[in-house]
Amino acid sequence: MKDKIIGRELEIRLLQEYLHSEKSEFIAIYGRRRVGKTFLVRQTIGENACFTLTGMENSGLQEQLANFYFALRKVYPKANHPQSWLEAFDELENYLETCSETKKIIFIDELPWLDTVRSNFIGALEHFWNAWASARDDVKLIVCGSATSWMIDNIINNRGGLHNRKTHQIYVAPFTLHESEQYFKTFGFSFRQKEIAECYMTMGGVAYYYSLMRPDESVAQNIDRLFFASNGELKGEFENLYRSLYKQAGDHIAIVTALATKTKGLTRKEILQQTDLNNNQKFTKTLDELEKCGFIRQYVPFGKTKRDVLYQLMDAFTLFHFHFANENAYQDETFWINSLNSPRYRAWSGYAFEVLCLNHITQIKQALGIAGVQSRVCSWLAKSDDGGNGAQIDLLIDRADQTINVCEMKFSRAEYEITRTDADDFDNKLETFIRQTNTRKSLMLTLITSFGVKKNKYSGQVQKQITLADLFELPKS
């Protein structure tokens, strides 16, 4: 990755604040693979760490302990080779006692990989913090890991010896559109906002994926080179991503495979039917892990109860995999360029743009002028009845000020021109919604498009417009 940090102003400010506090701090940093967690920490702490350690993937206890010993020996030649994690942390204590630094910064990266079977790593870490580090005022322990669900279960929500011992947590999310634009401008790309949006719709705002792009290639050329060339650097990234996050990723992949087929999402029962998974606690935990990692969200559709909760795919990279990267049957190295005018591209871009919008709800509310209004985001689906046809609304913003924004999301290469078919469809959705929900709230038809709505005899039907430019705005604090 290039050696300049982009965005992350809040994360950097918080981390610096914790590092300069007058007490010992236990800071947990988490987020998905390749999002820039390690880069953030290293850029913030610089050369000031007393000790750094990176866990080894797919390695046993003795290999991990040897790795620890080699890392400690570089800064503490007197170190002994530990035979257990209790001994390892005792050696670390001995070293830190000799350090003259005012703030003793310890950075342990890829922490989940250290927790091997029957290693008692968590128990030793708990003892190190509770019995020694927390009693001081100069220890800054930073732990980091890509296995988000492990970090949340074992560190952030630990119910054992670390319960309420972690002093701070920082979630490192994928880039927003605003941060994506910052990145591309900083490193000499001439991409326009629509092209940056297409990068986001393909790669989900993951910093490392962006770092593999070349400014002398178009977006389409970059995508073909990274995903569809015979040696494409992101060709197998989907499997690597899920396998790195979850030790047994088969069920997780089965669930996102099912969710990739439905824009509005699926109920628990529908997911079970499509995946043939068992309806048990393991299934519940798998859904929870996917949600914690930001791959899916759950929400209650308008007019429904918690029993009708839907699970919806929220990860653009995963969606792209199923629509394109997983469908290149003939190993076409220019599959993306050859697909740009295809029905497949149009279907994907419509769905991917909806995912983009759902991930920028804060910006949408800001553009609507309702950032401070209490609201909930959901969808609505109605079957046909005696009064007319069925209808589906993929984005509703149900507001406490007795108004509902009925949002239509349209990704296009120019101003969106509303056709007679569109106008009839909008009318049917609004009429069906009023009839079947008996709502007394005001409905406001809102179009979210790439470049706005072209003025014609149907455009007056739209009461609010939001464009890509609005989604690129930095949220106001």
Side-chain angles (χ1 to χ4, degrees):
M1 181 177 287
K2 300 176 176 69
D3 61 359
K4 181 178 176 61
I5 196 163
I6 304 299
R8 309 301 189 203
E9 288 88 356
L10 174 61
E11 293 88 344
I12 293 170
R13 179 174 60 78
L14 291 175
L15 189 52
Q16 289 177 336
E17 177 184 317
Y18 306 150
L19 291 174
H20 289 91
S21 74
E22 296 304 317
K23 63 177 182 176
S24 288
E25 303 280 12
F26 187 161
I27 307 157
I29 299 178
Y30 65 104
R32 66 183 285 171
R33 165 184 162 97
R34 308 292 204 185
V35 83
K37 302 178 298 299
T38 302
F39 189 66
L40 166 69
V41 175
R42 288 179 176 167
Q43 289 291 305
T44 304
I45 66 176
E47 302 295 322
N48 296 321
C50 292
F51 176 69
T52 62
L53 174 70
T54 301
M56 298 168 61
E57 187 176 11
N58 299 322
S59 296
L61 173 60
Q62 293 308 314
E63 291 171 303
Q64 302 285 7
L65 288 171
N67 179 40
F68 175 94
Y69 168 65
F70 297 146
L72 185 59
R73 191 175 62 180
K74 291 177 182 177
V75 292
Y76 186 51
K78 294 181 180 180
N80 296 308
H81 195 308
Q83 298 304 308
S84 69
W85 280 115
L86 273 174
E87 290 185 18
F89 281 108
D90 185 62
E91 288 292 322
L92 180 59
E93 289 176 23
N94 292 337
Y95 160 61
L96 293 173
E97 291 280 8
T98 69
C99 288
S100 59
E101 284 82 351
T102 305
K103 307 294 184 183
K104 295 174 174 54
I105 301 173
I106 307 153
F107 176 37
I108 304 179
D109 198 10
E110 296 300 354
L111 188 77
W113 290 348
L114 300 173
D115 186 31
T116 55
V117 178
R118 293 185 293 277
S119 67
N120 194 35
F121 172 77
I122 288 295
L125 177 64
E126 290 172 350
H127 182 74
F128 166 75
W129 180 257
N130 294 333
W132 186 80
S134 65
R136 303 173 62 95
D137 60 8
D138 59 351
V139 177
K140 310 294 180 178
L141 174 59
I142 305 171
V143 298
C144 187
S146 295
T148 303
S149 57
W150 187 98
M151 290 289 292
I152 292 173
D153 292 340
N154 291 279
I155 303 298
I156 295 169
N157 293 334
N158 183 285
R159 293 292 177 258
L162 288 179
H163 181 58
N164 288 333
R165 292 294 188 170
K166 171 267 309 168
T167 58
H168 300 287
Q169 65 192 56
I170 298 175
Y171 173 62
V172 182
F175 280 161
T176 62
L177 286 174
H178 175 79
E179 291 167 326
S180 298
E181 186 174 40
Q182 276 187 298
Y183 179 93
F184 288 117
K185 283 183 176 179
T186 300
F187 294 115
F189 290 77
S190 59
F191 296 162
R192 296 166 300 173
Q193 287 188 338
K194 179 183 174 295
E195 293 168 318
I196 294 171
E198 196 165 54
C199 292
Y200 181 96
M201 289 156 62
T202 304
M203 303 179 194
V206 176
Y208 175 74
Y209 302 162
Y210 288 168
S211 76
L212 300 176
M213 299 184 74
R214 297 174 183 168
D216 60 343
E217 293 181 343
S218 68
V219 171
Q221 287 174 318
N222 272 294
I223 292 172
D224 270 331
R225 175 176 54 82
L226 293 174
F227 289 95
F228 303 112
S230 58
N231 60 345
E233 291 182 82
L234 295 179
K235 201 166 188 179
E237 176 63 12
F238 176 82
E239 290 287 335
N240 293 335
L241 171 62
Y242 280 85
R243 302 293 177 193
S244 72
L245 290 174
Y246 312 111
K247 289 183 178 179
Q248 296 178 326
D251 290 357
H252 302 80
I253 293 174
I255 291 172
V256 295
T257 302
L259 293 178
T261 64
K262 287 289 184 180
T263 311
K264 69 176 180 62
L266 297 169
T267 64
R268 181 186 177 103
K269 182 178 179 181
E270 289 170 335
I271 296 172
L272 289 165
Q273 290 172 341
Q274 290 202 28
T275 60
D276 290 327
L277 296 174
N278 294 319
N279 188 12
N280 52 23
Q281 188 60 36
K282 181 185 176 186
F283 179 74
T284 301
K285 188 173 188 296
T286 304
L287 288 171
D288 184 54
E289 288 176 341
L290 285 167
E291 187 173 6
K292 285 175 177 175
C293 292
F295 290 112
I296 68 173
R297 72 162 182 146
Q298 60 171 302
Y299 70 95
V300 179
F302 187 89
K304 300 291 185 179
T305 66
K306 289 185 177 180
R307 292 181 303 175
D308 305 298
V309 66
L310 289 175
Y311 296 88
Q312 185 177 31
L313 183 64
M314 293 290 286
D315 183 57
F317 176 79
T318 299
L319 181 67
F320 173 77
H321 169 80
F322 287 114
H323 278 253
F324 282 96
N326 200 37
E327 295 295 329
N328 187 15
Y330 296 102
Q331 300 300 304
D332 180 1
E333 295 200 0
T334 55
F335 187 57
W336 180 255
I337 289 176
N338 292 334
S339 300
L340 290 178
N341 294 310
S342 68
R344 179 188 298 280
Y345 176 87
R346 288 190 289 273
W348 164 80
S349 63
Y351 191 172
F353 186 62
E354 291 180 16
V355 169
L356 180 151
C357 292
L358 289 171
N359 281 311
H360 289 78
I361 289 294
T362 300
Q363 286 83 356
I364 290 173
K365 290 180 180 179
Q366 181 171 285
L368 291 171
I370 60 168
V373 178
Q374 201 173 40
S375 61
R376 72 184 184 104
V377 176
C378 57
S379 70
W380 179 75
L381 177 66
K383 296 180 180 179
S384 57
D385 59 12
D386 293 338
N389 299 322
Q392 178 174 324
I393 301 172
D394 291 321
L395 177 58
L396 284 172
I397 302 177
D398 182 15
R399 297 155 45 177
D401 59 356
Q402 298 303 302
T403 303
I404 299 174
N405 288 93
V406 178
C407 301
E408 288 289 313
M409 297 164 279
K410 303 291 185 182
F411 187 71
S412 59
R413 293 172 178 170
E415 285 185 316
Y416 188 80
E417 185 170 3
I418 300 174
T419 64
R420 173 64 184 272
T421 302
D422 287 329
D424 290 344
D425 181 50
F426 298 159
D427 282 338
N428 175 62
K429 287 181 178 182
L430 294 173
E431 291 169 4
T432 305
F433 183 79
I434 293 170
R435 184 176 66 251
Q436 293 198 12
T437 65
N438 293 315
T439 184
R440 294 185 178 181
K441 291 188 175 184
S442 300
L443 302 186
M444 190 173 292
L445 181 61
T446 305
L447 233 60
I448 308 173
T449 63
S450 306
F451 300 106
V453 177
K454 186 175 182 179
K455 195 168 184 178
N456 65 11
K457 63 180 179 179
Y458 303 115
S459 59
Q461 190 179 17
V462 178
Q463 293 157 299
K464 279 286 187 179
Q465 292 188 43
I466 295 172
T467 66
L468 261 181
D470 295 315
L471 302 184
F472 274 83
E473 288 295 317
L474 181 67
K476 297 172 183 174
S477 56

